[in-house]
């Protein structure tokens, strides 16, 4: 965490981007970024259909660290934007909802926190691939990138 934060601190603006466990990493370090795009993150690894071979204790610690980082990102002084993109596969929706429920849907609304789940009509964990094949992924990434350039 210290290394990622140190590297991110060298830049005026930081954009995190990841898919699946890479999306989990984007969220885990969301508080070191101004904008995070997470496609089908694995959040609650204990209940996840797709998970690493770690102990349940490690997985619960990971989940707590990820949710805390997202909370710090959107409610801290940086007021980062966090977008969680999910398809319609129930497992991925549950993982995305876990983050918003942990941060607090009431808090997100009343405090105007920039944390949102974007659902796409793709019934697969391979959402980023489906978006790329539909020529939708690059425009999303480009938009987020240009927003960060404009804010720098």
């Amino acid at each position: 965490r210290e290394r990622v934060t140190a590297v991110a601190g060298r830049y005026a603006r930081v954009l995190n981007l990841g898919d699946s466990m890479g999306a989990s990493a984007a969220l885990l370090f969301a508080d070191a970024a101004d904008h995070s795009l997470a496609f089908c993150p694995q959040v609650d690894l204990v209940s996840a259909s797709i998970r690493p071979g770690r102990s349940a204790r490690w997985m619960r610690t990971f989940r707590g660290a990820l949710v805390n980082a997202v909370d710090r990102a959107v409610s801290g002084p940086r007021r980062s934007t966090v977008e969680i993109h999910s398809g319609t596969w129930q497992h991925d929706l549950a993982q995305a909802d876990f983050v918003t429920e942990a941060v607090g849907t009431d808090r997100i609304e009343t405090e105007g926190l920039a944390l949102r789940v974007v659902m796409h009509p793709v019934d697969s964990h391979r959402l980023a691939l489906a978006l790329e094949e539909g020529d939708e992924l690059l425009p999303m990434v480009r938009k987020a990138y240009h927003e960060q350039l404009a804010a720098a």
Side-chain angles (χ1 to χ4, degrees):
R1 173 168 274 305
E2 289 177 20
R3 289 180 183 175
V4 170
T5 303
V7 170
R10 297 180 200 159
Y11 298 92
R13 305 294 291 184
V14 176
L15 172 64
N16 285 350
L17 171 67
D19 178 45
S20 193
M21 284 304 290
S24 303
L27 297 179
L28 186 62
F29 298 106
D31 55 338
D34 298 285
H35 194 139
S36 296
L37 292 170
F39 295 88
C40 299
Q42 303 302 295
V43 178
D44 182 23
L45 299 177
V46 172
S47 67
S49 298
I50 304 164
R51 63 177 165 248
R54 298 286 190 127
S55 70
R57 181 177 178 212
W58 182 93
M59 291 182 207
R60 285 189 297 274
T61 300
F62 174 85
R63 178 185 64 208
L66 186 151
V67 168
N68 289 338
V70 170
D71 196 330
R72 284 191 308 271
V74 298
S75 64
R78 202 172 196 147
R79 300 294 282 191
S80 303
T81 297
V82 175
E83 293 179 38
I84 301 172
H85 292 262
S86 176
T88 58
W89 186 37
Q90 193 59 43
H91 164 78
D92 286 335
L93 286 172
Q95 294 293 308
D97 288 343
F98 186 87
V99 178
T100 56
E101 290 168 9
V103 170
T105 52
D106 289 343
R107 276 187 64 219
I108 293 166
E109 187 174 315
T110 59
E111 295 178 29
L113 303 180
L115 169 59
R116 64 188 185 111
V117 174
V118 181
M119 194 169 78
H120 301 272
V122 175
D123 192 33
S124 168
H125 182 69
R126 304 292 309 267
L127 175 62
L129 177 62
L131 293 172
E132 172 62 23
E133 289 175 346
D135 295 323
E136 297 176 68
L137 182 62
L138 185 57
M140 275 189 261
V141 174
R142 186 178 288 136
K143 179 179 183 278
Y145 176 76
H146 285 288
E147 287 172 357
Q148 294 313 305
L149 283 177

